[in-house]
Amino acid sequence: MDTMDAKGIKIEKTTRPKAKPDWRNLTFGHYYTDHMFVADYAEGRGWRDARIVPYAPLVLDPAAMVFHYAMEVFEGLKAYAAKDGRILLFRPWENAKRLNSSAIRICMPTYPEEGFLEAVQTLVRADADWVPRLPGTSLYLRPFMIATEPHLGVRRSNTFQLIVIASPVGAYYPEGLDPVKIYIEDEYVRAVRGGTGFTKCGGNYAASIIAQKKAEELGFTQVLWLDGVEKKYIEEVGAMNVMFKIGDEVVTPELGGSILPGVTRSSVLELLRSWGVKAVERRLSVDELHAAAKSGALAEAFGTGTAAVISPIGALSIGGELLQIADGGIGAVSRKLYDTLTGIQWGDLADPFGWTCEVGSK
Ligand code: COI
């Protein structure tokens, strides 16, 4: 039966709901819910036909530009089931803004921020019984925009789709909060200034997989990326932002066009500063990191991202030398950040920053 929500999103509920997964073994990105959000864009007509439909394969022309020139951008955010029954989103308006800044860089249309929030909320309401309730689990939402016009010339597309799918997830890394071993990548680079590093475009991730494969072959979980010009400064870790506690300061690479402005990154910086910890955004060279690791000043290292939240780094390989960070375990700051962020996200702790937003029942 078709219905229409208050903001004009047409809702077609599935008549064949899927069996739910084993909530205790979700891992990351394996299961998809019963519905998805879709909206179409045509040049001159704008966005229209926003709808929730049963989750299903897409039908696209093989010449659709997304397939040939990687005209795709995406976002990632989560819906959390609070113990009191509320469903919470974490700073979804930041994802709405970032989707648009990615879209502008890839010459795609922007999507109204209000409409993005409504799309995400309407999908979560339609699939509310897919929001997992076990500790550490959530419903990962993946909004993405693709160029759908069939055309092989290299130019801007005239038609696009915005789609949102949802996936109940557990921990991103099988290690969970256990510290991972990281390898400093000195051959491949992820991004350069002036390129697309600050966007969430699929191409960035496609280009990164070869280094991840290499790291895994060498016995590491992920790579630490260096800047694309001098291969001297730290940029990101795997698909996450990275932070280091050196002495009393937490240092993270400054945003400069090649680094993703992570929502978790900015939340961690705000939390640290609210605790009176000096959190600095600046360039950090491998040499400085190496010296800090050698002298014992490097107390903690961790990745930050929506998927893994905080991912402690236990050891770093620099120039063939494997350096353990402190005792190789989870540092106190990493642990406190993880507990506080997840506490706010799941509604267990007060939210003094106004970061969470409730998905209403209507
Ligand atoms: C995140 O940390 O949310 C990411 O960006 C990883 C994602 C690409 C799976």
Side-chain angles (χ1 to χ4, degrees):
M1 190 190 68
D2 286 0
T3 53
M4 193 80 86
D5 91 332
K7 296 274 169 43
I9 298 178
K10 196 174 148 204
I11 300 172
E12 181 195 340
K13 283 284 188 95
T14 183
T15 51
R16 297 171 54 203
K18 298 177 207 169
K20 300 288 191 298
D22 175 355
W23 301 116
R24 288 160 306 175
N25 287 307
L26 290 174
T27 68
F28 187 88
H30 274 291
Y31 303 101
Y32 301 95
T33 62
D34 284 324
H35 300 94
M36 60 188 190
F37 170 89
V38 185
D40 299 312
Y41 177 93
E43 203 56 41
R45 279 190 291 183
W47 288 103
R48 66 203 156 88
D49 205 10
R51 57 203 185 270
I52 298 285
V53 290
Y55 187 98
L58 303 173
V59 177
L60 290 175
D61 194 296
M65 294 175 91
V66 60
F67 296 132
H68 305 279
Y69 307 121
M71 295 177 183
E72 189 264 1
V73 298
F74 69 94
E75 272 303 320
L77 69 163
K78 287 173 171 173
Y80 308 84
K83 292 195 185 72
D84 59 10
R86 289 176 305 152
I87 297 178
L88 302 173
L89 296 171
F90 186 73
R91 309 184 74 183
W93 44 88
E94 299 300 333
N95 300 93
K97 287 195 200 115
R98 193 175 58 188
L99 179 82
N100 285 340
S101 87
S102 298
I104 289 165
R105 177 63 180 80
I106 308 294
C107 281
M108 296 177 136
T110 56
Y111 198 83
E113 287 175 22
E114 273 297 307
F116 176 94
L117 289 185
E118 192 57 31
V120 163
Q121 301 219 15
T122 309
L123 180 63
V124 173
R125 279 196 291 267
D127 283 330
D129 55 347
W130 284 88
V131 183
R133 287 178 159 68
L134 293 180
T137 62
S138 55
L139 186 67
Y140 184 79
L141 299 158
R142 170 52 62 85
F144 61 105
M145 197 191 293
I146 53 174
T148 53
E149 188 188 352
H151 185 75
L152 295 183
V154 179
R155 62 149 168 79
R156 187 185 198 274
S157 172
N158 283 307
T159 59
F160 298 87
Q161 278 190 323
L162 178 74
I163 301 171
V164 188
I165 56 172
S167 172
V169 298
Y172 185 73
Y173 287 125
E175 288 94 335
L177 246 201
D178 290 342
V180 296
K181 262 169 67 185
I182 299 291
Y183 163 83
I184 297 192
E185 176 53 53
D186 52 11
E187 181 184 0
Y188 304 110
V189 296
R190 181 190 160 274
V192 291
R193 286 178 186 212
T196 56
F198 69 95
T199 74
K200 272 189 106 67
C201 71
N204 286 348
Y205 296 78
S208 76
I209 289 168
I210 191 164
Q212 182 181 319
K213 180 169 163 279
K214 184 173 146 194
E216 282 165 8
E217 282 164 5
L218 294 169
F220 296 89
T221 306
Q222 264 303 348
V223 300
L224 192 63
W225 295 104
L226 301 182
D227 75 276
V229 179
E230 297 175 73
K231 293 191 185 161
K232 187 171 165 194
Y233 298 98
I234 311 291
E235 297 237 310
E236 294 191 14
V237 61
M240 290 187 281
N241 295 117
V242 68
M243 303 203 180
F244 302 91
K245 182 163 183 283
I246 303 175
D248 292 334
E249 277 181 17
V250 173
V251 181
T252 193
E254 65 191 357
L255 302 178
S258 58
I259 290 174
L260 189 84
V263 178
T264 312
R265 175 187 184 278
S266 86
S267 309
V268 162
L269 290 175
E270 266 195 73
L271 270 180
L272 289 170
R273 288 168 186 157
S274 77
W275 297 338
V277 177
K278 193 162 175 215
V280 198
E281 298 166 75
R282 66 165 170 87
R283 296 220 288 187
L284 173 66
S285 69
V286 184
D287 289 348
E288 183 184 343
L289 190 65
H290 189 231
K294 285 292 222 192
S295 72
L298 178 60
E300 298 187 36
F302 51 93
T304 68
T306 297
V309 193
I310 299 292
S311 178
I313 300 170
L316 272 173
S317 166
I318 304 187
E321 188 181 359
L322 188 65
L323 297 168
Q324 181 176 292
I325 299 173
D327 64 359
I330 308 169
V333 171
S334 311
R335 164 60 74 184
K336 187 173 172 192
L337 284 167
Y338 179 83
D339 290 345
T340 309
L341 267 179
T342 56
I344 294 173
Q345 288 167 337
W346 270 278
D348 293 328
L349 294 181
D351 173 18
F353 304 95
W355 283 337
T356 54
C357 130
E358 191 177 339
V359 179
S361 56
K362 166 63 238 122

